[in-house]
Amino acid sequence: MSGAALAVVVVVVFFLALYLLQRYGDLRKQQRMVLFGTLLSWYLCFLIVFILPLDVSTTIYRQCVLDNSNHPTIVPQARRTNQTEDISSLSPSVSVPKVCEEPWSYIPDGVLPVFWRVVYWTSQFLTWLLLPFMQSYARSGAFSRVGKIKTALIENAVYYGTYLLIFISLLIYAAAHPQWKLTWTDLQTIGITAANTWGLFLLVLLLGYGLVEIPRSYWLSSSLGYLLAKTYFKAAKMVTEKAEAEENLEDVMGEVAAVHESVRYNHSLRKCVDTILTKCPPEYQEEMGRNVESSGVLPTKRGLIGLHKKVITAVQRHCQTQVQCSILLDQALYLEDVAKSQSSPVRNFVHSFPSAHGHSWIRRFIYTPTVEWYWECVLRQVVYRLLAVLLCLLSAAVVWSECTFFSTHPVLSLFAIFIQMAEKQYNYIYIEVACFITIFFLCVCVYSTVFRIRVFNYYYLVPHHQTDAYSLQFSGMLFCRLTPPLCLNFLGLIHMDSAVSHQDRIPTSYTSIMGSMRLLSFISEGFYIYYPMLVLLLCFATFYNLGSRCLNLLGVYQYITDDDLTSDLVDEGRELIRRERRKRQKAEDGENRRWAWREQYGAQGTTGRSRAGYTELEDNQNSPVTEIKKGDFTFTGRDVETEEQQRGLLQDHSSDEGSPNRSRSTGGRYQSLSPSRKNVFDDV
């Protein structure tokens, strides 16, 4: 198994990162460099999380081998003279090396240091240099690659200049103090320490929120009433955001229409205008140039670049709100169906709109209506509450260990106690499982907070392929900056970091590439030990919703159960869902009537006419065609014309329903200038 576990983890983690990128990003439409940078940053961070438990077990095995070579175990050798004798004659004690069992996931010497060095420095290059540049490149409104690169360099000039100024100041300070005698390795250690310090500062803030919010969210989600109220609240907020996004898009499209009218086709800037038009939604492209008064003022190249950037942002925001409204609508209707099924005596889950849920083989054979009823109405509440209790215990253990991990005599950190107990028995599987569960829980608390963050709608991750390029790259930057200090903090919790525990033992390969933190003792013995204690205060602040209440005061409304504004938004969302349900029900009833009309009259009329015509031709096959009665043809023609008119009216009714903008054509039918918006709060 030498190296096999490492290879398996490398492959599995790649597909995990690819799945998450496919869920949040659009693999077909977004730029390849954006997808590559985001995938690489996520992949490297997940590798650190999954490989670190293997590094811990390998280090424990190496420590065992070193201890046996330096201090052999004293083992008395005994021999029995007879099987029936109770007294054994003992020979003098002999020093015998204790056998150290090699772990199943043992990684050969020399592999992990190279692996960690490549992973760490690549992730740091991404987070501090490449991803900020790619962010500016993807957000730029320039019309050529050279222009995008130029814009990215100008925007990051201050960013890179700050790093250069700090580095030059450090060199000057080191040169002014010859007693330091800084080497290249010492400079690397100082840079790593500075990056980890910044990451730890942000890590504790995110961790304090996740340790409380994740267990509480599972406990509250076990209550159907809470889920319905929160979904109504989100729906009301999303309708407001959707209206703002549509209004913003219309304003931007008005500017584009004015530019389109003022810049003629023989102008040098016409190519730029055509590029902007390709980014506009199709319904606005059709209306472009209609009833728009030209200002007569030609735009500049810089103005077109700014307009191009505004169009990209407005279209992306509009698409996000449309998809999120649809998702919230389906979720609210499903939760209302769950509430109805709980009070129903029939143990079968009934959907209000079965056609919206599809008929896949999973629903036909595995997740049947009976299984769905038992899960949603019986098991889900129990499972969620048990999971919430388990996560609450893990959170309490993390908070206790963060406040006491600096104590080595006695050992107070719970995770250090568990690992040391398993180390005495050399139970490597238990060590790896315990390490993985601990670090995975820490990552879930931190990463889930990253996925939930919304910075004034400027950065946030949206599932269902709706996350823009800037947000994807920003998440990759945060992951690369948070994962190394998170792993160092975890190693401190289990007393595997000698800079914190001050124990004379072999360091892990991960901490060996970080260098000796004793070079900056005020950080290793001060900030790294006492700053994580702040997580206790942050947990209390999250428990009492102090952050959400502050955001409410600033106008960023959050769901708080005892707030009057929250109650008003919940009532508003409930009314929106009720109107949308009536609208869907009316549309489905109309579709059922049309389908029944076609089944009853359309097929019957067509069959009757075909049979009648065939019989008449068969009876008169010997007579000339001109002898066929004229009245029969006249009747048949009227019948066909009447049926076609009925079908046309039905089609017109179905296509006109719910479309606010229509233009009358010569054929008597309405043709929509914009695509119909179905099931996304059209009546709001």
Side-chain angles (χ1 to χ4, degrees):
M1 294 296 294
S2 179
L6 178 63
V8 171
V9 171
V10 167
V11 175
V12 171
V13 170
F14 174 78
F15 285 104
L16 174 62
L18 185 62
Y19 166 75
L20 290 176
L21 181 61
Q22 186 270 341
R23 173 175 171 79
Y24 286 91
D26 195 336
L27 300 182
R28 293 178 297 177
K29 296 183 180 180
Q30 286 175 334
Q31 300 177 4
R32 294 292 180 266
M33 289 301 298
V34 172
L35 296 175
F36 175 76
T38 306
L39 177 62
L40 184 59
S41 59
W42 290 7
Y43 176 54
L44 295 177
C45 294
F46 295 161
L47 272 181
I48 297 176
V49 173
F50 281 82
I51 299 296
L52 193 60
L54 307 183
D55 190 4
V56 172
S57 62
T58 302
T59 303
I60 291 176
Y61 170 73
R62 291 168 53 202
Q63 184 67 40
C64 175
V65 173
L66 180 62
D67 293 341
N68 288 341
S69 61
N70 295 335
H71 306 286
T73 305
I74 307 300
V75 179
Q77 292 184 347
R79 57 181 180 88
R80 292 183 180 272
T81 58
N82 196 322
Q83 293 183 356
T84 59
E85 293 179 355
D86 295 331
I87 303 175
S88 302
S89 58
L90 299 177
S91 60
S93 300
V94 179
S95 298
V96 178
K98 185 178 179 180
V99 178
C100 294
E101 183 180 356
E102 185 177 288
W104 70 277
S105 59
Y106 175 73
I107 300 175
D109 295 340
V111 175
L112 279 178
V114 177
F115 176 82
W116 287 131
R117 191 171 288 109
V118 172
V119 169
Y120 178 78
W121 287 111
T122 304
S123 63
Q124 295 304 300
F125 172 76
L126 287 173
T127 187
W128 297 106
L129 296 177
L130 185 60
L131 287 179
F133 176 82
M134 293 176 63
Q135 272 187 308
S136 301
Y137 182 90
R139 194 177 51 183
S140 173
F143 300 97
S144 63
R145 294 183 178 179
V146 177
K148 290 178 179 293
I149 293 174
K150 182 179 178 181
T151 303
L153 289 176
I154 293 175
E155 289 184 359
N156 288 275
V158 178
Y159 190 72
Y160 296 132
T162 304
Y163 294 155
L164 185 61
L165 180 62
I166 294 175
F167 182 72
I168 293 176
S169 302
L170 180 62
L171 291 180
I172 294 175
Y173 186 78
H177 295 77
Q179 67 274 12
W180 276 25
K181 297 181 181 180
L182 293 179
T183 62
W184 175 248
T185 304
D186 296 336
L187 291 177
Q188 287 183 351
T189 302
I190 293 176
I192 292 172
T193 304
N196 290 336
T197 302
W198 188 94
L200 184 63
F201 175 79
L202 183 60
L203 172 68
V204 172
L205 299 179
L206 299 177
L207 188 62
Y209 175 82
L211 288 174
V212 175
E213 189 61 29
I214 291 179
R216 181 167 60 183
S217 63
Y218 275 97
W219 180 268
L220 295 176
S221 297
S222 63
S223 173
L224 181 61
Y226 171 83
L227 284 179
L228 267 174
K230 191 170 184 180
T231 305
Y232 292 149
F233 175 83
K234 290 181 179 179
K237 281 187 60 179
M238 188 53 60
V239 167
T240 304
E241 294 179 9
K242 176 175 172 287
E244 293 176 354
E246 290 178 349
E247 183 180 356
N248 182 35
L249 181 63
E250 291 178 358
D251 294 341
V252 174
M253 290 299 104
E255 297 181 18
V256 174
V259 171
H260 170 68
E261 189 68 21
S262 60
V263 178
R264 298 301 177 183
Y265 289 93
N266 57 355
H267 198 274
S268 59
L269 296 177
R270 186 62 203 181
K271 292 184 178 179
C272 300
V273 176
D274 293 338
T275 303
I276 296 176
L277 290 177
T278 58
K279 305 297 177 60
C280 299
E283 61 270 22
Y284 287 99
Q285 293 182 18
E286 296 176 1
E287 297 178 354
M288 203 65 66
R290 300 178 183 176
N291 300 326
V292 177
E293 297 181 358
S294 176
S295 61
V297 180
L298 293 176
T300 61
K301 184 68 173 293
R302 179 173 297 180
L304 289 179
I305 290 175
L307 181 60
H308 188 201
K309 184 176 179 180
K310 289 170 63 176
V311 168
I312 294 174
T313 304
V315 171
Q316 180 68 34
R317 177 63 183 154
H318 179 260
C319 293
Q320 288 177 351
T321 54
Q322 293 284 343
V323 174
Q324 286 179 300
C325 277
S326 178
I327 294 172
L328 280 175
L329 175 63
D330 294 337
Q331 183 180 357
L333 294 176
Y334 181 78
L335 291 175
E336 289 182 349
D337 292 341
V338 174
K340 293 179 182 178
S341 298
Q342 283 183 347
S343 58
S344 174
V346 181
R347 296 186 176 182
N348 279 335
F349 195 90
V350 179
H351 293 278
S352 299
F353 308 100
S355 59
H357 297 273
H359 301 281
S360 61
W361 64 272
I362 296 179
R363 287 191 172 274
R364 287 199 304 265
F365 301 105
I366 300 177
Y367 198 59
T368 60
T370 303
V371 175
E372 188 174 5
W373 186 90
Y374 275 102
W375 166 250
E376 294 291 347
C377 302
V378 179
L379 298 177
R380 185 175 178 273
Q381 181 178 4
V382 178
V383 172
Y384 270 48
R385 290 192 175 181
L386 290 177
L387 186 58
V389 172
L390 179 61
L391 293 176
C392 185
L393 294 177
L394 279 175
S395 297
V398 170
V399 173
W400 171 263
S401 300
E402 289 286 359
C403 297
T404 60
F405 74 94
F406 60 89
S407 175
T408 56
H409 301 286
V411 178
L412 298 179
S413 174
L414 298 179
F415 300 107
I417 294 174
F418 296 152
I419 297 300
Q420 290 178 6
M421 290 173 58
E423 183 179 358
K424 293 178 181 179
Q425 301 177 358
Y426 298 100
N427 190 346
Y428 296 110
I429 295 181
Y430 174 83
I431 292 173
E432 293 173 1
V433 170
C435 291
F436 178 77
I437 291 176
T438 305
I439 194 173
F440 182 76
F441 178 68
L442 293 175
C443 290
V444 167
C445 293
V446 175
Y447 292 168
S448 63
T449 308
V450 173
F451 277 87
R452 294 179 183 180
I453 283 179
R454 295 184 61 173
V455 185
F456 302 108
N457 292 332
Y458 189 65
Y459 154 77
Y460 65 106
L461 296 175
V462 185
H464 302 278
H465 322 290
Q466 295 301 314
T467 307
D468 57 359
Y470 184 84
S471 299
L472 285 175
Q473 293 171 337
F474 189 76
S475 65
M477 289 173 53
L478 281 181
F479 284 176
C480 291
R481 296 182 187 183
L482 292 173
T483 305
L486 185 146
C487 293
L488 277 180
N489 181 257
F490 163 73
L491 293 175
L493 293 180
I494 63 174
H495 291 178
M496 295 289 289
D497 187 3
S498 59
V500 176
S501 61
H502 302 287
Q503 295 178 353
D504 187 13
R505 59 179 302 158
I506 297 178
T508 61
S509 300
Y510 182 78
T511 54
S512 64
I513 69 167
M514 297 294 175
S516 177
M517 298 297 177
R518 296 172 184 174
L519 183 66
L520 301 174
S521 58
F522 65 94
I523 293 180
S524 62
E525 298 179 0
F527 184 79
Y528 279 6
I529 292 178
Y530 298 106
Y531 179 71
M533 297 180 185
L534 185 63
V535 73
L536 182 61
L537 298 178
L538 295 173
C539 287
F540 277 111
T542 306
F543 182 79
Y544 290 105
N545 295 318
L546 296 183
S548 299
R549 297 181 188 277
C550 293
L551 290 176
N552 269 349
L553 294 177
L554 296 175
V556 183
Y557 302 122
Q558 304 293 316
Y559 184 78
I560 302 176
T561 55
D562 57 349
D563 186 67
D564 296 335
L565 181 60
T566 300
S567 302
D568 295 339
L569 289 176
V570 168
D571 295 337
E572 181 181 350
R574 184 183 293 108
E575 182 61 28
L576 290 172
I577 300 301
R578 185 181 296 112
R579 281 187 285 175
E580 186 62 30
R581 177 179 287 276
R582 289 198 302 265
K583 183 179 178 181
R584 277 197 178 189
Q585 191 65 48
K586 184 186 299 184
E588 186 170 352
D589 293 342
E591 184 64 29
N592 292 335
R593 288 194 298 269
R594 287 190 291 269
W595 180 82
W597 175 272
R598 295 190 187 101
E599 287 293 324
Q600 183 176 359
Y601 297 102
Q604 182 179 355
T606 304
T607 305
R609 288 193 306 273
S610 299
R611 291 178 178 177
Y614 177 76
T615 305
E616 183 180 359
L617 289 174
E618 185 178 5
D619 294 339
N620 299 288
Q621 59 182 351
N622 296 326
S623 62
V625 177
T626 55
E627 294 180 3
I628 301 176
K629 296 180 180 180
K630 187 176 181 180
D632 294 338
F633 277 104
T634 304
F635 173 76
T636 306
R638 289 177 180 176
D639 187 14
V640 173
E641 183 179 358
T642 303
E643 185 177 273
E644 291 298 330
Q645 290 178 356
Q646 290 174 348
R647 291 184 180 180
L649 289 174
L650 291 174
Q651 292 174 359
D652 292 342
H653 177 72
S654 62
S655 61
D656 291 345
E657 182 179 357
S659 51
N661 299 324
R662 296 190 289 261
S663 64
R664 189 68 177 266
S665 64
T666 57
R669 299 186 181 183
Y670 290 102
Q671 296 178 348
S672 174
L673 293 178
S674 60
S676 60
R677 305 165 186 170
K678 296 181 179 179
N679 308 331
V680 195
F681 305 116
D682 298 334
D683 53 343
V684 179

